[in-house]
Amino acid sequence: MNHQDKPPEENLTRSVEFVLLGFADTPHLRWFLFGLFLSIYIIILMSNGTIFLLTKLDPALQSPMYFFLANFSFLEMCYVSVTLPRMLMDLGTQRRRIPLVACAAQMCLVLMFGGTECLLLSVMAYDRYVAICHPLHYPLIMNHRLCIQLVTGSWMASIPVMIGQTYQIFSLPFCGSKEINHFFCDIPPVLKLACVDTFVNEIFQYIVAVLFGIVPFLLILGSYSKIISTILKLPSAASSSKAFSTCSSHVMVVVLFFGSTIITYLRPKSSHSEETGKVLSLFYTILTPMFNPILYSLRNKDVIMALRKLLCK
């Protein structure tokens, strides 16, 4: 009997090299998409990098709100750098092949940064809740030690969970098609390529989506319901307007990011559309990092003043 005829499943999986189809169905738009996404990537890095730099250099931007904003901007730069450079390389070279290890690393980083963003957005909502609903106790509650703990917890909490989820997915045998109809290695399109039952993986995916998506989203909704209730009780119309302006940008980022993420990872498998999945992924991996500095800086007088001072110097 020849044992070479049928290699073990482990060897099958290790020898896998995936193909990221990305936007292969629109070859006529190849260079337009390349230019578009390259421009977006440069805008994201420059705008988020500027906010991060301003919050570190300007003494007027040393409050907890800007400490969280600096971490959020840094996170957005890391998040987008996991997917966009690979997408640009695939558009430019048309190679599209990605080894299993690189695919697993990309998925793990996307999940880790995405989970961190969910938690950090809820922390930022809590910060606004304390600032508006308990202004006299704000310096005492949001002290430097608590801010460090909240940010560290947001960064660290998702690491073991997402590593475990990625390991669980890439322990599966992939012996069918190797084409991933996506522009990065995401959970739903990769699970479709496994040649075994993925029910356990899907259940784990839903559990993680609830823990890092639904729970933080509900906490944010709770924070903003309290904030709105407090704002409506303010005697001054100017105070109400200023409070709404401070929080509206956060709400817009939250709705854009959580809406697309929750729909992507909590949709029933029967309703999964690969094209819809790609469009939704563009929202939470590219559009949110691009809109974040616009929504936070152009609507914030302190950031604009800090930018003017930096440019004058």
Side-chain angles (χ1 to χ4, degrees):
M1 180 178 177
N2 188 356
H3 294 281
Q4 301 292 327
D5 293 340
K6 188 177 180 181
E9 286 185 351
E10 185 179 357
N11 292 338
L12 268 172
T13 300
R14 285 180 178 176
S15 63
V16 167
E17 189 176 46
F18 296 111
V19 177
L20 288 169
L21 295 181
F23 303 96
D25 55 342
T26 55
H28 55 289
L29 296 176
R30 171 189 168 191
W31 291 112
F32 168 76
L33 292 174
F34 181 88
L36 175 64
F37 289 127
L38 179 61
S39 302
I40 290 174
Y41 187 45
I42 293 172
I43 291 170
I44 291 172
L45 292 183
M46 291 186 64
S47 54
N48 281 287
T50 300
I51 292 179
F52 181 80
L53 188 65
L54 288 175
T55 55
K56 296 300 178 184
L57 296 179
D58 197 294
L61 303 180
Q62 301 306 311
S63 66
M65 181 178 80
Y66 296 110
F67 174 70
F68 295 134
L69 181 57
N71 276 272
F72 191 47
S73 296
F74 177 72
L75 172 64
E76 295 287 48
M77 289 189 289
C78 295
Y79 192 25
V80 78
S81 295
V82 178
T83 56
L84 262 180
R86 178 83 211 187
M87 188 198 309
L88 291 171
M89 186 183 75
D90 290 343
L91 282 169
T93 64
Q94 294 291 289
R95 184 173 177 270
R96 299 199 184 97
R97 295 186 178 276
I98 180 170
L100 182 141
V101 174
C103 188
Q106 186 185 53
M107 178 186 290
C108 187
L109 289 172
V110 167
L111 294 176
M112 282 168 49
F113 291 141
T116 300
E117 183 159 340
C118 291
L119 298 177
L120 196 54
L121 282 170
S122 61
V123 166
M124 293 168 73
Y126 175 71
D127 172 69
R128 292 300 84 210
Y129 159 73
V130 177
I132 293 173
C133 299
H134 304 283
L136 298 179
H137 297 95
Y138 181 73
L140 183 63
I141 297 174
M142 299 303 295
N143 56 71
H144 184 67
R145 182 181 178 183
L146 179 63
C147 292
I148 293 290
Q149 290 173 341
L150 289 173
V151 168
T152 303
S154 299
W155 278 93
M156 299 300 293
S158 64
I159 292 177
V161 177
M162 301 315 180
I163 289 177
Q165 186 176 25
T166 305
Y167 177 79
Q168 184 192 48
I169 291 171
F170 283 90
S171 295
L172 300 171
F174 299 98
C175 49
S177 171
K178 305 299 185 298
E179 294 183 344
I180 300 175
N181 191 10
H182 213 295
F183 57 87
F184 71 95
C185 293
D186 203 5
I187 295 177
V190 171
L191 281 181
K192 286 185 177 182
L193 305 184
C195 50
V196 293
D197 182 33
T198 59
F199 176 76
V200 174
N201 304 84
E202 290 162 17
I203 293 299
F204 191 41
Q205 172 190 324
Y206 293 143
I207 292 173
V208 172
V210 169
L211 289 176
F212 287 89
I214 298 295
V215 172
F217 187 57
L218 292 177
L219 291 174
I220 292 170
L221 289 181
S223 296
Y224 277 101
S225 64
K226 293 284 188 180
I227 289 172
I228 292 171
S229 176
T230 302
I231 289 175
L232 293 175
K233 296 176 184 177
L234 292 176
S236 168
S239 299
S240 299
S241 176
K242 183 178 179 181
F244 268 119
S245 177
T246 303
C247 299
S248 60
S249 57
H250 191 190
V251 173
M252 293 172 71
V253 173
V254 165
V255 171
L256 182 65
F257 179 75
F258 277 95
S260 56
T261 304
I262 290 172
I263 294 172
T264 298
Y265 292 106
L266 287 180
R267 283 183 302 164
K269 187 178 179 181
S270 57
S271 66
H272 273 182
S273 166
E274 292 177 337
E275 296 306 318
T276 303
K278 279 196 283 189
V279 173
L280 289 171
S281 297
L282 289 173
F283 278 95
Y284 64 81
T285 59
I286 296 176
L287 292 185
T288 300
M290 185 176 68
F291 289 147
N292 164 45
I294 298 172
L295 294 173
Y296 275 99
S297 59
L298 295 182
R299 299 169 62 86
N300 189 300
K301 293 180 181 178
D302 293 335
V303 174
I304 293 174
M305 287 296 294
L307 181 59
R308 285 176 179 170
K309 285 192 289 184
L310 182 65
L311 293 176
C312 289
K313 288 180 182 179

